[in-house]
Amino acid sequence: MTTLWQASQQLQAGNASPEAFTESAWRAAQDPSKEGDLVFTTRYATQAAQQSTAASARWQTQQAFSAIDGLPVSIKDLFDVQGEPTTAGSHLLLNAEPAAANARVVDRLHQAGAAIIGKTNMTEFAFSGLGINPHYGTPANPWRREDKRIPGGSSSGAAVAVADGMCLGAIGTDTGGSVRIPAALCGLTGFKPTANRINQAGTLPLSASLDSIGVIAHDVRSCWLLDSVIAEQPLELQQVELRSARFAIPQTRVLEGLDEDVAQAWKSAIEALEQAGATLVALPLEELDELNSMNARGGITAYEAWQWHQQSALAQPEAYDPQVLARVQRGSLLTEQDARELHQQRKAWQHRINSALADFDALLMPTVPRIAPTLASLEDAQQYMEVNALMLRNTSVINMLDGCALSLPCHQTGSAPVGLSLASVHGDDARLISWSLAVETALNWRS
């Protein structure tokens, strides 16, 4: 499958037209076997076709708006599009006031000439790592689709759209792992940048203190390219050698309870990095256990979500996905004083983690501890909550840190998708994505 980066290179070389990529994406979106009706909440077929045609003329005259001019991308259903209600995967907001303006990232995509295929399905209000949506349906994970496994969330439709060729890249959000989890479970690459790098104006919030906007694509260069378009300041890739890398592997929390597929893929990935010359250091990092107490009553996310949802949750609880409502309602148990204390604890915790990681180039861990379970196995409410907590366990560490992270596929071809996470501290995005490119190369050589 052609990646966003490869498509851009073909356009720059004059070997392809943007119409061909957009037409291919639209055919995939209309393929009933790929569940396009569940992947998208809104489609922009006419607009995307018109944009690709206009971009083709610009490429022919060497006046392209950007390296992705005319290429098909998708946006998550919580970014404002002028004149439309922003529903965030809910029925509650179907009749909300139309957005007065585009979200900043949507404007950035328009300025770059991207052909926006549509808005993608998601967990209601982005409050789960599983990707299940009872209102619009849940698109099945493309891996062994007949099993009806979860796609991961909350950016569920974003990942399936990329994996199934309905777009070449997707814009999602990540409050506790919502870009990296579906990327890992669907065999893709997901990048969560330092939150303040991407302007979040016009994005429906979950937890303002933890929200970030990220991207999903097939590989690191494609993620970098898409991030460069939506960010106010593009990242500069650096030439790095794994022989000089010093990576930390936390021994607390993140390696617990790995299933057989994840454990095997993790072991194989670590061996590949060692063979490439990277220095891997087992780091106790016992501070990670403190997150259990900080999040015991829902933590910052639940408190801030309740502030936004309180009125609707009290007036129309029946309009919510019950699993999402239960998580939102936990925030009602926290006071302003509780919130202040949580933020103080988080700041002190960040300082200690940053100090512990000062001598390392990145943190390594499995993105999620298990492969995608089936939808049927999560019909029980208690099982849903337990698996959701497990899926968010590793990725949420980086949101609490206000750092940056990237999930790479690390499984063998044909086996269940598994993600390898590289992460670093606040503002270290350029170095992190450069190291990720080197790690990706090492893993590809292995396979």
Side-chain angles (χ1 to χ4, degrees):
M1 184 175 290
T2 303
T3 69
L4 180 66
W5 172 259
Q6 290 169 340
S8 175
Q9 294 295 295
Q10 290 176 30
L11 292 180
Q12 293 177 60
N15 296 330
S17 70
E19 293 107 319
F21 293 112
T22 299
E23 288 169 5
S24 176
W26 189 244
R27 284 195 300 271
Q30 292 179 304
D31 182 345
S33 70
K34 294 183 176 180
E35 302 182 323
D37 289 342
L38 300 181
V39 171
F40 294 101
T41 57
T42 306
R43 304 198 214 193
Y44 304 121
T46 301
Q47 300 95 314
Q50 291 172 344
Q51 181 55 56
S52 287
T53 299
S56 183
R58 292 192 290 269
W59 280 108
Q60 290 172 13
T61 57
Q62 298 184 341
Q63 294 179 322
F65 288 165
S66 76
I68 68 165
D69 197 1
L71 293 179
V73 300
S74 66
I75 57 174
K76 191 174 180 178
D77 187 27
L78 44 58
F79 295 116
D80 285 349
V81 172
Q82 186 176 17
E84 301 177 10
T86 303
T87 59
S90 76
H91 277 176
L92 187 73
L93 300 180
L94 279 174
N95 298 314
E97 286 293 320
N102 291 329
R104 178 57 179 158
V105 292
V106 174
D107 275 339
R108 296 282 300 184
L109 290 171
H110 285 318
Q111 291 162 10
I116 301 176
I117 292 288
K119 282 187 173 181
T120 51
N121 197 0
M122 55 182 283
T123 303
E124 184 185 53
F125 295 116
F127 211 171
S128 166
L130 302 179
I132 296 172
N133 188 308
H135 307 302
Y136 297 95
T138 303
N141 193 309
W143 180 70
R144 290 173 50 170
R145 183 175 271 110
E146 66 278 8
D147 290 350
K148 297 295 182 183
R149 296 173 181 269
I150 65 165
S154 63
S155 306
S156 51
V160 176
V162 175
D164 274 338
M166 301 176 193
C167 60
L168 294 176
I171 313 297
T173 60
D174 192 310
T175 305
S178 289
V179 158
R180 291 161 288 156
I181 295 168
L185 296 184
C186 292
L188 300 167
T189 302
F191 176 47
K192 174 236 173 306
T194 298
N196 65 4
R197 282 195 57 248
I198 312 295
N199 190 321
Q200 296 181 41
T203 306
L204 196 147
L206 172 57
S207 172
S209 299
L210 299 168
D211 291 344
S212 60
I213 295 173
V215 298
I216 299 175
H218 286 100
D219 60 348
V220 175
R221 285 191 181 277
S222 295
C223 283
W224 169 75
L225 184 59
L226 195 50
D227 175 87
S228 297
V229 167
I230 63 172
E232 306 296 327
Q233 183 64 45
L235 300 173
E236 293 186 12
L237 286 176
Q238 305 163 17
Q239 184 66 42
V240 294
E241 297 287 342
L242 285 179
R243 291 189 299 274
S244 64
R246 193 164 185 265
F247 296 143
I249 300 177
Q251 302 301 293
T252 301
R253 184 184 177 97
V254 301
L255 299 180
E256 297 171 3
L258 307 185
D259 70 19
E260 184 177 349
D261 293 278
V262 174
Q264 180 55 48
W266 165 255
K267 179 176 180 289
S268 180
I270 292 304
E271 290 173 351
L273 296 182
E274 289 177 330
Q275 290 169 7
T279 298
L280 307 181
V281 179
L283 188 67
L285 212 59
E286 294 170 351
E287 292 88 347
L288 297 187
D289 267 344
E290 297 172 28
L291 293 177
N292 294 331
S293 60
M294 277 194 268
N295 293 323
R297 292 187 291 162
I300 293 170
T301 305
Y303 175 80
E304 294 185 346
W306 179 250
Q307 306 312 303
W308 198 93
H309 285 277
Q310 182 175 357
Q311 184 175 348
S312 297
L314 291 173
Q316 302 180 69
E318 72 285 350
Y320 282 81
D321 172 356
Q323 298 290 2
V324 170
L325 180 64
R327 301 191 75 202
V328 168
Q329 289 173 328
R330 295 183 74 192
S332 67
L333 304 176
L334 298 169
T335 66
E336 289 186 20
Q337 179 60 30
D338 291 329
R340 283 193 293 270
E341 291 176 0
L342 282 170
H343 282 291
Q344 291 169 358
Q345 290 171 15
R346 181 192 183 201
K347 186 175 182 179
W349 179 85
Q350 287 174 337
H351 179 74
R352 285 182 282 123
I353 296 290
N354 288 338
S355 297
L357 298 179
D359 294 332
F360 295 97
D361 294 303
L363 199 65
L364 296 182
M365 57 186 168
T367 306
V368 291
R370 61 172 297 181
I371 64 170
T374 64
L375 283 162
S377 70
L378 300 175
E379 291 177 357
D380 175 76
Q382 184 60 34
Q383 183 72 1
Y384 178 107
M385 297 300 282
E386 290 175 1
V387 174
N388 183 58
L390 193 61
M391 287 294 177
L392 290 161
R393 186 193 68 193
N394 291 4
T395 52
S396 61
V397 168
I398 309 307
N399 299 83
M400 285 294 287
L401 186 61
D402 192 17
C404 49
L406 190 143
S407 179
L408 285 166
C410 66
H411 56 284
Q412 295 289 347
T413 302
S415 59
V418 176
L420 170 69
S421 178
L422 281 84
S424 193
V425 297
H426 180 97
D428 202 28
D429 303 56
R431 284 205 323 138
L432 176 77
I433 208 161
S434 298
W435 283 117
S436 298
L437 187 59
V439 169
E440 178 183 63
T441 300
L443 296 182
N444 288 342
W445 280 346
R446 173 205 62 181
S447 60

